[in-house]
Amino acid sequence: MLFPDYRPRRLRRNEALRRMVRETGLSVDDLILPLFTVSGKGIENPISSMPGHFQLSTDKLVNVAKNAYDLGIPAVMLFGIPDKKDALGTEAYSDKGVVQQAVKAIKNKIPDMIVITDVCLCQYTDHGHCGVINKKQIDNDATIELLAQIALSHVKAGSDMVAPSDMMDGRVAEIRNLLDEHDFSNIPIMSYAVKYCSSFYGPFRQAADSAPAFGDRRSYQMDPANSLEAIRESNMDVEEGADIIMVKPALPYLDIIYRVRQEIDLPVAAYNVSGEYAMIKAAEKMGWMDGTKAMMEMLMSIKRAGADMILTYFAMDAAKILIKK
Ligand code: PBG
């Protein structure tokens, strides 16, 4: 088809035509809102690098979750910031832990909202790494036992889905086995299967107070140069019993989302991370971009690449626009 017989602009003439031929859809059903929770009452600490987001005590958290639910957002992802940290991150698997309490409160007030809990140690350890340290190394096999305990304590508190974000080898199987042993075979695992070692997590580490005290996460998170490895990691988690495969971050890794979508037949989630949020918010504040349009374009690009669902700090902002349509 060549000009002048073919004129692609014919179908771009007005919004009704553009809507009719639009290939990718974005809906509130696709959105998952990440939230940060702390102990106490009436607490709403602003996160300076993530304008519009707060560390919330349970009472405030429930209100935000309710607002999200009322906008049609089906799920939240919870991150806890504990009062005290130690070498083994014991607060992470305490039945009275901050996430466990938050899950109970949300499920109590909004039973139909899906509560997903992030399973990791880095917010809970005094050294800020995602695992147990043994002779200055992150001990994989000791860590996955603790991760399974964290997942179990979340599910006992009422979590609908667990999402391990640590990048230890074998953790999905370890979690699946422990959940099954305790009659939680119905609880799905959303695996952060393909998680890169990324500077785009910067604002999150400030929000969750989880920056490593020494070194970095390169011995467990993936090297940004690798894409075949993303397929191996995904296949491994599928074999181990994952129900949803996540790619993280999203924007600098759209090729990876596309590739995982082609090769894996499970639902694919993408995490539009804190740095991707902060970048747009900052440019908007400087008057350099239309933040709302940039947000919608970015979320659409993640869907177009092949993600079935998006974890995003923009969930509320995007939902407000999507429900008006
Ligand atoms: C914890 C975890 C991180 C994120 C989600 N879970 C940070 C990290 O790995 O350092 C990042 C999320 C974001 O940047 O929005 N392991």
Side-chain angles (χ1 to χ4, degrees):
M1 282 201 292
L2 279 179
F3 176 81
D5 297 329
Y6 179 52
R7 289 178 181 268
R9 289 184 55 198
R10 281 181 197 133
L11 294 179
R12 293 181 201 143
R13 246 173 57 230
N14 59 43
E15 183 55 15
L17 281 170
R18 289 191 292 270
R19 266 174 58 207
M20 288 168 68
V21 298
R22 191 160 286 150
E23 297 171 35
T24 306
L26 178 67
S27 129
V28 284
D29 298 344
D30 306 326
L31 306 173
I32 301 170
L33 173 68
L35 292 172
F36 299 97
T37 184
V38 290
S39 68
K41 247 194 146 166
I43 297 173
E44 226 169 357
N45 297 330
I47 300 165
S48 63
S49 54
M50 298 171 69
H53 282 270
F54 303 84
Q55 296 177 335
L56 300 163
S57 54
T58 306
D59 50 332
K60 296 280 180 184
L61 179 84
V62 169
N63 296 338
V64 175
K66 181 74 169 63
N67 291 342
Y69 185 75
D70 290 343
L71 284 169
I73 295 169
V76 290
M77 164 82 98
L78 293 186
F79 294 95
I81 302 130
D83 288 334
K84 40 184 200 325
K85 304 181 186 239
D86 56 37
L88 294 177
T90 51
E91 276 296 296
Y93 36 97
S94 150
D95 288 341
K96 296 199 169 62
V98 61
V99 163
Q100 289 79 353
Q101 310 248 9
V103 173
K104 276 185 207 151
I106 296 177
K107 291 305 291 185
N108 190 22
K109 183 101 182 272
I110 326 161
D112 293 336
M113 181 158 233
I114 295 296
V115 177
I116 311 171
T117 49
D118 180 88
V119 173
C120 197
L121 280 163
C122 58
Q123 292 110 268
Y124 302 89
T125 50
D126 49 15
H127 46 72
H129 277 289
C130 304
V132 178
I133 298 193
N134 225 334
K135 301 190 191 100
K136 299 205 172 134
Q137 306 281 335
I138 316 295
D139 184 335
N140 190 89
D141 299 12
T143 300
I144 62 177
E145 283 179 31
L146 292 186
L147 293 167
Q149 294 299 334
I150 300 174
L152 180 62
S153 79
H154 289 177
V155 172
K156 280 186 180 161
S159 174
D160 295 299
M161 190 184 306
V162 290
S165 67
D166 50 282
M167 287 302 278
M168 297 299 128
D169 300 331
R171 90 276 208 211
V172 172
E174 189 83 15
I175 292 171
R176 184 72 275 156
N177 290 339
L178 193 68
L179 293 183
D180 290 356
E181 268 171 36
H182 286 81
D183 284 337
F184 291 120
S185 58
N186 57 335
I187 298 294
I189 300 176
M190 174 192 276
S191 174
Y192 288 69
V194 184
K195 179 173 175 181
Y196 287 92
C197 191
S198 172
S199 49
F200 287 84
Y201 307 150
F204 174 96
R205 290 182 189 168
Q206 186 190 331
D209 185 25
S210 65
F214 63 90
D216 53 41
R217 304 209 202 289
R218 281 184 292 180
S219 79
Y220 40 104
Q221 298 180 346
M222 282 177 55
D223 187 319
N226 295 350
S227 51
L228 287 172
E229 191 186 3
I231 304 306
R232 291 199 298 275
E233 278 280 5
S234 301
N235 281 328
M236 183 177 172
D237 287 3
V238 171
E239 297 278 315
E240 288 184 29
D243 298 278
I244 298 174
I245 294 294
M246 192 207 293
V247 175
K248 178 185 172 193
L251 204 53
Y253 298 90
L254 291 174
D255 58 322
I256 305 297
I257 296 172
Y258 181 79
R259 212 159 160 164
V260 168
R261 170 69 296 161
Q262 301 305 304
E263 304 213 20
I264 304 292
D265 62 4
L266 289 179
V268 174
Y271 202 138
N272 180 215
V273 301
S274 57
E276 297 168 50
Y277 177 82
M279 236 168 21
I280 288 185
K281 286 287 179 190
E284 178 180 49
K285 197 170 163 199
M286 295 298 285
W288 291 344
M289 269 202 296
D290 179 325
T292 303
K293 286 192 177 142
M295 159 184 83
M296 295 307 277
E297 185 177 338
M298 176 171 66
L299 294 173
M300 186 62 83
S301 78
I302 298 167
K303 279 296 301 283
R304 192 190 63 234
D308 300 298
M309 58 194 97
I310 310 173
L311 294 110
T312 178
Y313 303 97
F314 282 118
M316 296 270 238
D317 296 346
K320 284 178 194 152
I321 291 174
L322 291 168
I323 59 173
K324 266 196 243 144
K325 281 199 178 156

